[in-house]
C-alpha cells in the first residue's frame, strides 16, 4: 500500500496492514505471495519513516529486505537457464529474463543517481547515467519497439531534455524533448498487441496494456513538459517548444 502527500491516514492503517501481513506469513503456503507481501510491507514502512520522521520504521523496512531472496533466485532468472535448450519455452523464458533484468538495471541506475541529486556535479552525472540507460535500451530493442521498457525510454528522453536545459545546452534539450514527444505519440498510435523484431526479442509479443490499460503517453508527457519539467517561461514561449507540443496533440 502506497500513499501520496495528500493522504492523511497513512499511519492509521498500520495495524490493519500488519494484521493482513501476519496472516499471510502464518497461513499462506505460496512463496510468491508471501514474498510479495514482504515487499509491500517494506515499502510501507519506508513511506511511514519519511512521513513520521522515524528512523526506526526504516530499520523495520531494512529488516524485511534482509529476508528477501537475491535477484538470482527469482523465477525469471532461474527459468532462463534451468529450462533445457531443446525445451519449446527455453527461448521465451530467456527473453522474459532479459526484459526483467534490463528493467531492473535501468531502475537501479536511476535510483543510484538520486543519491547525487544535490551535488554540484549532479547534472553531468545524471545526464551520463540517463544516456547510459538509453544506450542499453537501444542496444537490446534495436527495432524501435521497446516492449516493457516503453515508458522508461519515453521518460528518459524527457528527463534528458530538462537536464540539458538546466546545463544550458538548448539544442540538446530540444533534441531530447522532441524525441520524447515523438516516442510518446508512436506508443499511443501502436496497436495494442505488437510483435517485436529486435535481435534479442525476435518474435516476442508486447501488449501495451501491461503498462496500464488507460496509459496515454502523449497526455502524460504534455503535462510533464508544461507543468513539471523545470523549463523557463521564455523557453516555453519559443517556436521550438510549440512545435514539440504540437507533436503531442
Amino acid at each position: 500500500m502506497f500513499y501520496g502527500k495528500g493522504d492523511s491516514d497513512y499511519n492509521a492503517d498500520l495495524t490493519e496492514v500488519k494484521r493482513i501481513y501476519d496472516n499471510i506469513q502464518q497461513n499462506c503456503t505460496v512463496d510468491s505471495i508471501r514474498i510479495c507481501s514482504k515487499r509491500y510491507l517494506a515499502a510501507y514502512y519506508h513511506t511511514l519513516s519519511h512521513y513520521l520522521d522515524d528512523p526506526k520504521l526504516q530499520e523495520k523496512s531494512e529488516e524485511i529486505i534482509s529476508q528477501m531472496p537475491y535477484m538470482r533466485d527469482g523465477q525469471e532468472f532461474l527459468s532462463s537457464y534451468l529450462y533445457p535448450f531443446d525445451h519449446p519455452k527455453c527461448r521465451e523464458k530467456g527473453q522474459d529474463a532479459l526484459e526483467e533484468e534490463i528493467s531492473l538495471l535501468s531502475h537501479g541506475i536511476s535510483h543510484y543517481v538520486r543519491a547525487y541529486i544535490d551535488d554540484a556535479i549532479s547534472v553531468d552525472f545524471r545526464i551520463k547515467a540517463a544516456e547510459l540507460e538509453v544506450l542499453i535500451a537501444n542496444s537490446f530493442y534495436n527495432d524501435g519497439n521497446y516492449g516493457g521498457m516503453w515508458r522508461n525510454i519515453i521518460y528518459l528522453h524527457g528527463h534528458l531534455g530538462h537536464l540539458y536545459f538546466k546545463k544550458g545546452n538548448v539544442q540538446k534539450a530540444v533534441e531530447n524533448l522532441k524525441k520524447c514527444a515523438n516516442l510518446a505519440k508512436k506508443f499511443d498510435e501502436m496497436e495494442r498487441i505488437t510483435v517485436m523484431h529486435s535481435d534479442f526479442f525476435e518474435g516476442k509479443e508486447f501488449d501495451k496494456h501491461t503498462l496500464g490499460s488507460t496509459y496515454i503517453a502523449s497526455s502524460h508527457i504534455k503535462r510533464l513538459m508544461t507543468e513539471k519539467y523545470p523549463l523557463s517561461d521564455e523557453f516555453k514561449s519559443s517556436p521550438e517548444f510549440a512545435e514539440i507540443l504540437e507533436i503531442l496533440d
Side-chain angles (χ1 to χ4, degrees):
M1 188 178 295
F2 298 91
Y3 295 87
K5 290 184 178 179
D7 296 299
S8 58
D9 59 349
Y10 46 82
N11 190 36
D13 293 332
L14 178 57
T15 301
E16 178 64 9
V17 169
K18 190 64 170 60
R19 184 191 67 78
I20 295 171
Y21 170 79
D22 289 339
N23 182 47
I24 292 173
Q25 295 302 311
Q26 294 167 15
N27 300 306
C28 180
T29 59
V30 181
D31 285 343
S32 60
I33 296 176
R34 297 176 74 250
I35 291 171
C36 187
S37 71
K38 285 180 179 290
R39 178 166 65 90
Y40 281 123
L41 186 61
Y44 186 81
Y45 278 136
H46 170 73
T47 301
L48 284 183
S49 72
H50 286 283
Y51 280 120
L52 304 181
D53 194 22
D54 186 349
K56 290 184 178 180
L57 290 171
Q58 179 60 31
E59 291 175 7
K60 286 181 177 289
S61 175
E62 292 169 4
E63 180 182 348
I64 294 173
I65 292 171
S66 70
Q67 303 167 11
M68 302 286 277
Y70 293 104
M71 283 190 282
R72 68 184 62 186
D73 296 323
Q75 59 178 288
E76 294 92 352
F77 187 75
L78 285 171
S79 293
S80 71
Y81 72 88
L82 290 183
Y83 268 73
F85 290 131
D86 59 351
H87 193 286
K89 287 193 174 182
C90 182
R91 180 183 175 87
E92 175 188 333
K93 294 298 182 180
Q95 290 177 336
D96 290 343
L98 275 177
E99 273 219 298
E100 181 69 7
E101 289 158 7
I102 293 166
S103 177
L104 288 174
L105 178 58
S106 181
H107 282 90
I109 293 170
S110 295
H111 285 284
Y112 178 77
V113 169
R114 287 177 64 185
Y116 295 86
I117 197 167
D118 294 325
D119 291 352
I121 62 169
S122 66
V123 173
D124 285 336
F125 186 56
R126 289 159 68 191
I127 288 174
K128 182 178 181 179
E131 289 183 336
L132 176 60
E133 290 184 68
V134 171
L135 176 62
I136 291 169
N138 284 329
S139 297
F140 284 92
Y141 301 93
N142 58 332
D143 66 334
N145 186 340
Y146 292 97
M149 286 288 289
W150 261 107
R151 186 154 41 195
N152 296 57
I153 200 72
I154 291 170
Y155 289 152
L156 277 169
H157 279 290
H159 186 53
L160 281 166
H162 74 72
L163 285 176
Y164 270 116
F165 183 81
K166 184 175 183 179
K167 187 176 170 62
N169 191 332
V170 177
Q171 180 181 343
K172 292 288 285 186
V174 170
E175 177 185 316
N176 277 281
L177 291 173
K178 187 173 292 186
K179 181 73 172 178
C180 173
N182 280 318
L183 286 171
K185 195 69 173 179
K186 179 180 177 180
F187 175 84
D188 291 341
E189 292 175 349
M190 285 170 55
E191 297 291 332
R192 174 181 169 179
I193 307 292
T194 53
V195 178
M196 301 163 69
H197 297 292
S198 62
D199 293 340
F200 286 91
F201 298 112
E202 174 63 46
K204 183 177 176 62
E205 283 193 351
F206 169 62
D207 182 352
K208 289 203 302 185
H209 284 191
T210 59
L211 302 182
S213 59
T214 60
Y215 177 65
I216 307 298
S218 297
S219 59
H220 281 269
I221 293 303
K222 187 171 185 177
R223 183 177 66 84
L224 287 173
M225 289 188 183
T226 56
E227 300 177 19
K228 300 295 183 180
Y229 289 161
L231 306 170
S232 69
D233 291 337
E234 180 183 3
F235 178 72
K236 289 180 180 179
S237 301
S238 68
E240 291 87 355
F241 190 69
E243 183 182 340
I244 292 168
L245 293 184
E246 188 176 345
I247 296 171
L248 296 167
D249 289 335

